[in-house]
Amino acid sequence: MKTEPTDTKKDDSLLYHPPKSIMRKANIKEYEQAYAKSIADREGYWAGEAKKLKWFRKWKEVLDDSNKPFYKWFTGGKINIVANAIDRHLETHRRNKLAMIWEGEPGDVKTMSYHALNREVSKFANVLKSMGVKKGEIVTIYMPQIPELPIAMLACAKIGAMHSVVYGGFSVEALAGRISDAHSRVLVTADGGWRRGKITDLKAIANEAMDRSPTIEVCITVKRTGQEVHMENDRDFWYSDLMALPIASPSCETEVTDAEDPLFILFTSGTTGKPKGLVHTHGGYTVYTSTTLRNVFDIKDEDRWWCAADPGWITGHSYLVYGPLINGATIVMYEGAPNHPYPNRWWSMIEKYGVSILYTSPTAIRGLMRFGEQWPKRHDLSSLRLLGSVGEPINPEAWRWYHEVIGRGECPIMDTWWQTETGGMMIAPLPITPLKPGSATKPQFGIEVGVVDENGEDVKAGEEGKLVIKGPWPGMARTIYGDADRYAETYWKEYEEQGWYKAGDSARIDEDGYIWIIGRIDDVIKVSGYRLGTAEVESALVSHPAVSEAAAIALPHEVKGNAIHTYVILKNGLVGDKKLEEELRKHVSDEMGPIARPETVAFLESLPKTRSGKIMRRVLKARAMGVDEGDLSTLED
Ligand code: PRX
């Protein structure tokens, strides 16, 4: 049955009701009452979900809030995420089920059962141990989207080490900084990967980054492309060589970790300075990612789940790797560009592998939409049951295309709002929720959301305010690695009295209680769904010898959602021209990675600043967009 929009006669007027076939099969049949119950007894709700997992020892306390905002979950409990993502499936029919279907950009395919995944993970875990990797140590992983990436993550978790995955699109500076912050001794990388028919120089970048990060003692490299790379004696090892040694035994005991033991750190951009490494734990994160995936995407044993995010980002951590494996699903993973060699690549993969749920970003949808519907129309996409969106607001036009052209008008779209900090989906529909295009709809169970003013008062329906989460949840980041003060300050200080988490987004709630995310209210920008800090782009610009000062802002972009525009003041006597503009754009890309490449670089004599010397990016943005500049009373001159 088709999903028909109904006119609700309200401002956000179209409601899409899920088809009966979806409603009938849904894991959860009713939202409002179940939600109210989960909020009335949050600890009871989370304990109930935690019970569905494998614990080595049950927790004593569900929530320990004795040291706010450093909440602890399931204290006294012993668990390991890998015991849940792999080990327990080996005792069931899932042992022989496909855990992973992977396709490389050149068209090579690898599949792995849970049994095979366990062998690979155990072997690599033993390799890491042989390199002296200990519980609590952070291994940095810098890889393309190949099976060895999740294998390396799971191997770290299995032995109680933490992983810090650095997105394979990042460059030298970004990688070096993250390695140093994590004090990593071991780096796992690849010689390169395939992207748009070309090979990337991952190992060359890793080598340069290692020159700048003296902590690295061991570098393990997967041979993916076979290109010539520089290997250093005593430091560099080939993954395949190590995996062939007797030490790489396929049997490895899974470490018994505390619920609150750290599982990984993941760096993300903040308002100021360097990216911060958010810390997630074995217990709460396992409960949170698996529960939300089951609720929002109704994951079933027969599903083939494709989260098209890179494992280098939180979406990939939570919903490409951990969440689906804990639920025993079959994950689909793809190495390369969605439009290579033709814009039907994704659609042909959906048909070929019978993908039933696709989870991706609005930027990817808009990008593929540009090529027209003749590309998806060539393929049988009838295996699709549900679609998902994440990372940025989805505009109604992209929503409708996704729904009509990809989802045949029959697949509900789960628009999911969450963050690196939250660990998993916070605001998202269930498959039974009537949808409004562009709204992430309602909070997940156990999550109370508010849209408030400076004083913490709820704003009126339809009005914009700050998005807060009223109280802790198991998937929340526990701290910023090495900087607990910054964690408390950034997220919990503003509403300390109430004990609320400040998300850094603005939003509104309509009369039906539907939540509409508007965007960031700090100096974080989302470009193609990627999270970047204006401060990082600015410091990359200033590291160029010609630049004395720089400012970066985001302006709307048709495909990317936002694009980076920059303004620079050159050093004495230098004059800006097209050539220098190009050089500066390339410089940022070389330093940080292609995702940070500015759209434009404009040369200015001065930047608008407050009297205390802070750049007023808001003024630059208003000028660029030709809108009112607002209150200028703090402007220096
Ligand atoms: O601004 C919100 C936006 O992405 C930010 C979090 O970015 P990151 O930590 O990289 O995590 C992205 C993937 C979970 C949020 O503060 N955002 C995320 N999802 C949505 C969104 N904005 C609107 N709608 C969404 N569904």
Side-chain angles (χ1 to χ4, degrees), residues 557-576:
H557 185 282
E558 213 178 308
V559 176
K560 300 177 185 173
N562 289 298
I564 304 169
H565 293 262
T566 61
Y567 302 85
V568 302
I569 303 177
L570 294 175
K571 288 201 176 136
N572 274 346
L574 289 171
V575 187

Side-chain angles (χ1 to χ4, degrees), residues 601-621:
V601 180
F603 301 102
L604 297 183
E605 296 286 315
S606 68
L607 289 168
K609 285 188 189 161
T610 62
R611 282 186 203 94
S612 57
K614 232 179 135 224
I615 296 169
M616 293 179 81
R617 298 192 185 83
R618 162 178 80 76
V619 173
L620 287 168
K621 187 164 179 168

Side-chain angles (χ1 to χ4, degrees), residues 521-538:
I521 43 179
D522 51 11
D523 292 320
V524 168
I525 49 188
K526 296 288 291 196
V527 179
S528 304
Y530 298 123
R531 178 164 159 181
L532 295 167
T534 51
E536 291 162 78
V537 179
E538 289 160 5

Side-chain angles (χ1 to χ4, degrees), residues 234-436:
D234 302 333
R235 184 193 70 187
D236 283 314
F237 300 87
W238 288 108
Y239 180 94
S240 50
D241 288 350
L242 297 173
M243 292 288 269
L245 296 175
I247 46 131
S249 143
S251 94
C252 175
E253 200 68 31
T254 299
E255 182 78 24
V256 175
T257 45
D258 271 355
E260 279 294 308
D261 274 344
L263 166 63
F264 65 83
I265 64 171
L266 186 58
F267 286 93
T268 192
S269 299
T271 303
T272 50
K274 285 195 302 185
K276 44 199 178 185
L278 291 156
V279 179
H280 286 281
T281 57
H282 273 272
Y285 182 81
T286 302
V287 175
Y288 199 75
T289 52
S290 59
T291 303
T292 46
L293 185 63
R294 214 161 37 237
N295 292 349
V296 177
F297 284 102
D298 224 9
I299 204 113
K300 304 264 188 334
D301 236 318
E302 59 274 23
D303 273 318
R304 288 200 162 172
W305 161 263
W306 186 6
C307 166
D310 191 290
W313 304 96
I314 193 69
T315 308
H317 279 56
S318 301
Y319 299 117
L320 193 164
V321 181
Y322 290 117
L325 292 178
I326 299 168
N327 280 296
T330 297
I331 61 179
V332 174
M333 184 174 166
Y334 167 57
E335 177 184 30
N339 57 345
H340 187 84
Y342 300 106
N344 66 330
R345 184 63 184 261
W346 275 20
W347 319 129
S348 78
M349 282 182 61
I350 289 173
E351 176 173 7
K352 184 169 165 196
Y353 301 118
V355 171
S356 49
I357 315 174
L358 173 68
Y359 188 35
T360 186
S361 68
T363 289
I365 298 158
R366 287 189 294 262
L368 289 165
M369 197 169 113
R370 268 188 322 173
F371 297 108
E373 59 179 69
Q374 69 271 26
W375 294 100
K377 283 270 170 326
R378 288 185 188 184
H379 296 277
D380 176 5
L381 303 181
S382 61
S383 59
L384 286 172
R385 186 162 60 81
L386 287 168
L387 299 170
S389 173
V390 60
E392 40 175 336
I394 181 164
N395 50 309
E397 196 196 351
W399 196 100
R400 293 206 173 88
W401 191 82
Y402 199 23
H403 187 251
E404 291 304 318
V405 179
I406 306 307
R408 325 176 290 284
E410 288 174 14
C411 303
I413 295 175
M414 306 292 110
D415 178 358
T416 63
W417 176 89
W418 58 292
Q419 307 176 303
T420 308
E421 291 85 345
T422 70
M425 301 181 267
M426 301 291 280
I427 306 172
L430 303 178
I432 55 164
T433 310
L435 303 172
K436 297 185 183 189

